[in-house]
Amino acid sequence: MSMTKEGFLETLIAQYKDEIEEALVESEHIYRLTIDYEILDQKVAQLFQSAKIDGLDEKIVWDLLQARIPSYVNYINFKVSGKKAS
């Protein structure tokens, strides 16, 4: 039974990798040279909602984001630290 759980988790992670890639592509502008982080942020928020429903740990989603779009994680960290400073 644990193999089934592991297989399900691997499939779910692969699905979220694909969804992150799709969110990135939909957020890119000007021949894929720039990213609209506000649009990406909205799409990622939807991913986190879906992950919660699917039972996927938030840390796994953050790890996938860090691996694929480290600049987004930097954007979020800056955004959060900017709110604390205000």
Side-chain angles (χ1 to χ4, degrees):
M1 186 174 201
S2 64
M3 287 301 288
T4 304
K5 283 184 180 179
E6 288 175 15
F8 175 74
L9 183 59
E10 288 176 16
T11 302
L12 197 56
I13 289 171
Q15 175 186 336
Y16 276 83
K17 281 182 181 179
D18 290 344
E19 289 184 30
I20 288 169
E21 189 66 35
E22 184 177 321
L24 177 60
V25 169
E26 290 175 359
S27 303
E28 290 175 327
H29 291 292
I30 311 170
Y31 304 106
R32 301 182 75 180
L33 294 176
T34 60
I35 299 170
D36 185 326
Y37 287 103
E38 290 181 19
I39 292 173
L40 183 58
D41 199 27
Q42 292 170 358
K43 294 183 179 301
V44 168
Q46 292 169 349
L47 275 177
F48 277 114
Q49 289 175 341
S50 296
K52 188 174 184 177
I53 292 167
D54 289 339
L56 187 62
D57 188 68
E58 190 173 298
K59 182 176 180 346
I60 293 173
V61 178
W62 276 116
D63 289 346
L64 294 172
L65 286 165
Q66 177 66 38
R68 180 60 186 99
I69 321 168
S71 61
Y72 172 73
V73 177
N74 293 339
Y75 165 79
I76 292 300
N77 289 334
F78 178 77
K79 190 172 149 181
V80 169
S81 68
K83 286 183 180 176
K84 289 180 184 175
S86 296

PDB file of all heavy atoms in Angstrom, residues 53 66 68-69 71 77-78 82:
ATOM      1  N   ILE A  53      -6.268  21.199  -0.986  1.00  0.00           N
ATOM      2  CA  ILE A  53      -7.379  20.277  -1.255  1.00  0.00           C
ATOM      3  C   ILE A  53      -6.847  18.881  -1.592  1.00  0.00           C
ATOM      4  O   ILE A  53      -7.385  17.877  -1.143  1.00  0.00           O
ATOM      5  CB  ILE A  53      -8.272  20.819  -2.392  1.00  0.00           C
ATOM      6  CG1 ILE A  53      -9.004  22.075  -1.921  1.00  0.00           C
ATOM      7  CG2 ILE A  53      -9.257  19.763  -2.876  1.00  0.00           C
ATOM      8  CD1 ILE A  53      -9.670  22.872  -3.031  1.00  0.00           C
ATOM      9  N   GLN A  66      10.803  27.075  -5.876  1.00  0.00           N
ATOM     10  CA  GLN A  66      12.200  27.485  -5.713  1.00  0.00           C
ATOM     11  C   GLN A  66      13.073  26.863  -6.802  1.00  0.00           C
ATOM     12  O   GLN A  66      13.950  27.516  -7.340  1.00  0.00           O
ATOM     13  CB  GLN A  66      12.719  27.075  -4.325  1.00  0.00           C
ATOM     14  CG  GLN A  66      14.185  27.392  -4.086  1.00  0.00           C
ATOM     15  CD  GLN A  66      14.490  28.878  -4.062  1.00  0.00           C
ATOM     16  OE1 GLN A  66      13.713  29.667  -3.550  1.00  0.00           O
ATOM     17  NE2 GLN A  66      15.620  29.259  -4.617  1.00  0.00           N
ATOM     18  N   ARG A  68      12.112  25.862  -9.849  1.00  0.00           N
ATOM     19  CA  ARG A  68      11.766  26.299 -11.203  1.00  0.00           C
ATOM     20  C   ARG A  68      11.828  27.814 -11.384  1.00  0.00           C
ATOM     21  O   ARG A  68      12.232  28.309 -12.420  1.00  0.00           O
ATOM     22  CB  ARG A  68      10.363  25.792 -11.576  1.00  0.00           C
ATOM     23  CG  ARG A  68       9.897  26.178 -12.965  1.00  0.00           C
ATOM     24  CD  ARG A  68      10.852  25.631 -14.026  1.00  0.00           C
ATOM     25  NE  ARG A  68      10.520  26.095 -15.330  1.00  0.00           N
ATOM     26  CZ  ARG A  68      11.120  27.108 -15.963  1.00  0.00           C
ATOM     27  NH1 ARG A  68      12.097  27.767 -15.372  1.00  0.00           N
ATOM     28  NH2 ARG A  68      10.768  27.468 -17.177  1.00  0.00           N
ATOM     29  N   ILE A  69      11.364  28.562 -10.364  1.00  0.00           N
ATOM     30  CA  ILE A  69      11.286  30.021 -10.485  1.00  0.00           C
ATOM     31  C   ILE A  69      11.853  30.670  -9.213  1.00  0.00           C
ATOM     32  O   ILE A  69      11.116  31.263  -8.421  1.00  0.00           O
ATOM     33  CB  ILE A  69       9.823  30.507 -10.681  1.00  0.00           C
ATOM     34  CG1 ILE A  69       9.033  29.582 -11.594  1.00  0.00           C
ATOM     35  CG2 ILE A  69       9.792  31.939 -11.213  1.00  0.00           C
ATOM     36  CD1 ILE A  69       7.540  29.838 -11.603  1.00  0.00           C
ATOM     37  N   SER A  71      13.362  33.342  -8.802  1.00  0.00           N
ATOM     38  CA  SER A  71      13.094  34.782  -8.762  1.00  0.00           C
ATOM     39  C   SER A  71      11.719  35.085  -8.172  1.00  0.00           C
ATOM     40  O   SER A  71      11.514  36.129  -7.556  1.00  0.00           O
ATOM     41  CB  SER A  71      13.222  35.401 -10.160  1.00  0.00           C
ATOM     42  OG  SER A  71      12.277  34.825 -11.046  1.00  0.00           O
ATOM     43  N   ASN A  77       9.615  37.023  -0.941  1.00  0.00           N
ATOM     44  CA  ASN A  77      10.389  37.417   0.244  1.00  0.00           C
ATOM     45  C   ASN A  77      10.517  38.933   0.334  1.00  0.00           C
ATOM     46  O   ASN A  77      10.384  39.506   1.414  1.00  0.00           O
ATOM     47  CB  ASN A  77      11.770  36.762   0.232  1.00  0.00           C
ATOM     48  CG  ASN A  77      11.703  35.283   0.496  1.00  0.00           C
ATOM     49  OD1 ASN A  77      10.777  34.790   1.125  1.00  0.00           O
ATOM     50  ND2 ASN A  77      12.698  34.552   0.009  1.00  0.00           N
ATOM     51  N   PHE A  78      10.759  39.591  -0.787  1.00  0.00           N
ATOM     52  CA  PHE A  78      10.862  41.046  -0.803  1.00  0.00           C
ATOM     53  C   PHE A  78       9.517  41.680  -0.458  1.00  0.00           C
ATOM     54  O   PHE A  78       9.438  42.630   0.318  1.00  0.00           O
ATOM     55  CB  PHE A  78      11.335  41.533  -2.185  1.00  0.00           C
ATOM     56  CG  PHE A  78      11.412  43.025  -2.287  1.00  0.00           C
ATOM     57  CD1 PHE A  78      12.474  43.727  -1.705  1.00  0.00           C
ATOM     58  CD2 PHE A  78      10.422  43.750  -2.928  1.00  0.00           C
ATOM     59  CE1 PHE A  78      12.540  45.098  -1.783  1.00  0.00           C
ATOM     60  CE2 PHE A  78      10.473  45.129  -3.010  1.00  0.00           C
ATOM     61  CZ  PHE A  78      11.546  45.804  -2.436  1.00  0.00           C
ATOM     62  N   GLY A  82       8.913  43.920   2.714  1.00  0.00           N
ATOM     63  CA  GLY A  82       8.465  45.304   2.474  1.00  0.00           C
ATOM     64  C   GLY A  82       7.257  45.660   3.324  1.00  0.00           C
ATOM     65  O   GLY A  82       7.133  46.770   3.810  1.00  0.00           O
TER      66      GLY A  82
END
